[in-house]
């Protein structure tokens, strides 16, 4: 597993790529729109490619860090045609956020090619990605996961192996509906408080020292207090996508999803208003305007 290829060098993928190459791995990446600036990676020795299939044909591990299920499917079996190009024995690592049922269907096709697919969804932010301190939520065959562990440890601080293929993506959707749903709830109540003239310093202090304390509040509080969204550079439209993925998964499983529906509806209303590119903490201001 000496040649590592990446598709998706965006906000999260850039940090993954940088840590892979600085920790001694040979890195190749697809040069495409949507990447962060990659001059630093090239300076470090990474090789850019303009054709995904040609790059996939030379790699031992292909890492995908794209937006979601449609993009993963397109890269592997659509216009990217990377699955057909993979050599037997190669491993696909999908760090995207995706629908587990699609992941499992793709894994079957990958196995027919004589390769393996491991889902390794990410949590945390671009800051931790650059620092090599991501959380990875992993699903796959145990032997393959252990084979990959040294590579994953190049850019992850914590690795949670959730089970077989698709389990990593399932855990990511569970994580995101809880974390992003909590952010949305905090933003909604903050908008209510601000609209009524409450002292927001007192409100944040009260929440921190009570049952609402935690990572979600810590990432939204800077925006409540000083309109700083730097601690959660995650867009409303991406959160809306993730909520939709969770609800699709819950529907497929016959599980209750009343709370998740409410989160998706709130985010969807903001997307429909043209606010999808705003970061999640900005809901504090956006929800002061009634939909």
């Amino acid at each position: 597993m000496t040649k590592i290829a990446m598709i998706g060098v965006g906000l999260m993928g850039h940090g993954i790529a940088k840590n892979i190459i600085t920790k001694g791995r040979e890195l190749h990446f697809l040069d495409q729109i949507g990447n962060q600036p990659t001059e630093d990676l090239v300076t470090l020795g990474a090789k850019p490619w303009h054709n995904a299939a040609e790059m996939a044909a030379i790699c031992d591990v292909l890492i995908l860090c794209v937006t979601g299920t449609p993009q993963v499917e397109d890269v592997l079996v659509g216009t990217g045609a990377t699955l057909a190009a993979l050599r037997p024995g190669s491993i696909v690592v999908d760090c995207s956020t995706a629908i587990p049922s699609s992941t499992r269907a793709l894994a079957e096709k990958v196995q027919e090619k004589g390769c393996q697919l491991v889902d390794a969804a990410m949590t945390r932010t671009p800051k931790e990605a650059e620092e090599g301190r991501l959380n990875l939520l992993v699903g796959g065959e145990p032997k393959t996961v252990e084979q990959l562990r040294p590579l994953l440890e190049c850019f992850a601080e914590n690795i949670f192996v959730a089970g077989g293929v698709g389990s990593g993506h399932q855990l990511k959707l569970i994580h995101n509906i809880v974390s992003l749903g909590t952010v949305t709830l905090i933003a909604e109540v903050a908008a209510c408080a601000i609209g009524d003239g409450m002292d927001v310093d007192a409100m944040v202090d009260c929440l921190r020292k009570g049952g609402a304390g935690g990572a979600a509040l810590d990432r939204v509080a800077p925006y409540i207090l000083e309109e700083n969204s730097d601690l959660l550079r995650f867009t409303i439209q991406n959160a809306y996508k993730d909520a939709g993925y969770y609800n699709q998964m819950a529907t497929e499983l016959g599980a209750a999803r009343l709370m998740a529906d409410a989160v998706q509806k709130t985010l969807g209303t903001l997307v429909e208003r043209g606010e999808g590119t705003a970061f999640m903490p900005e809901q504090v201001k956006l929800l002061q305007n009634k939909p």
Side-chain angles (χ1 to χ4, degrees):
M1 300 199 319
T2 58
K3 294 184 178 181
I4 314 302
M6 276 196 68
I7 297 178
V9 188
L11 283 173
M12 301 294 281
H14 181 275
I16 292 174
K18 185 189 77 173
N19 279 283
I20 287 173
I21 194 167
T22 57
K23 293 172 184 174
R25 305 279 178 156
E26 179 181 328
L27 180 69
H28 304 256
F29 69 92
L30 185 65
D31 188 6
Q32 61 178 349
I33 295 173
N35 284 352
Q36 291 290 291
T38 55
E39 291 83 0
D40 59 336
L41 301 178
V42 174
T43 299
L44 289 168
K47 180 180 177 180
W49 291 71
H50 298 288
N51 184 285
E54 291 177 1
M55 180 180 70
I58 61 91
C59 74
D60 300 305
V61 179
L62 175 63
I63 298 177
L64 309 181
C65 192
V66 296
T67 303
T69 292
Q71 292 76 24
V72 173
E73 293 174 347
D74 186 57
V75 165
L76 284 174
V77 297
T79 61
T82 56
L83 177 56
L86 287 175
R87 298 175 299 180
S90 300
I91 302 173
V92 178
V93 180
D94 184 8
C95 292
S96 312
T97 300
I99 300 168
S101 57
S102 172
T103 302
R104 292 176 178 127
L106 287 172
E108 291 182 2
K109 295 180 179 180
V110 171
Q111 288 172 356
E112 290 170 0
K113 180 71 175 178
C115 303
Q116 293 290 322
L117 185 147
V118 170
D119 43 308
M122 307 167 288
T123 69
R124 294 188 166 171
T125 71
K127 176 178 181 292
E128 286 84 19
E130 291 291 328
E131 295 169 350
R133 297 179 49 247
L134 289 172
N135 289 335
L136 290 184
L137 320 180
V138 178
E141 292 295 324
K143 182 178 179 180
T144 306
V145 172
E146 288 309 306
Q147 185 181 1
L148 283 170
R149 189 175 288 274
L151 172 62
L152 302 181
E153 288 175 345
C154 289
F155 55 90
E157 181 176 37
N158 299 299
I159 298 173
F160 305 95
V161 181
V165 172
S167 299
H169 283 153
Q170 185 176 32
L171 182 55
K172 173 64 182 290
L173 297 181
I174 290 169
H175 173 276
N176 275 21
I177 200 65
V178 173
S179 61
L180 299 175
T182 303
V183 166
T184 299
L185 177 59
I186 292 170
E188 182 177 278
V189 299
C192 175
I194 292 168
D196 196 43
M198 179 180 290
D199 183 322
V200 291
D201 290 281
M203 180 194 70
V204 169
D205 193 33
C206 174
L207 293 176
R208 276 179 171 156
K209 293 175 180 176
L217 178 61
D218 289 344
R219 290 174 179 171
V220 180
Y223 193 87
I224 297 172
L225 299 173
E226 52 191 40
E227 295 191 3
N228 181 347
S229 61
D230 288 348
L231 291 186
L232 187 53
R233 296 174 64 202
F234 195 87
T235 65
I236 291 170
Q237 62 192 13
N238 268 341
Y240 175 60
K241 178 261 296 179
D242 288 0
Y245 283 3
Y246 176 85
N247 281 327
Q248 179 173 335
M249 177 181 73
T251 299
E252 290 173 356
L253 296 173
R257 52 182 177 82
L258 296 177
M259 299 296 291
D261 274 341
V263 173
Q264 185 182 7
K265 181 178 179 181
T266 298
L267 297 170
T269 298
L270 294 175
V271 170
E272 290 171 4
R273 282 169 38 184
E275 310 287 3
T277 58
F279 292 130
M280 285 291 284
E282 295 179 64
Q283 290 182 96
V284 173
K285 178 179 285 186
L286 298 174
L287 292 174
Q288 293 177 47
N289 303 317
K290 293 183 179 180

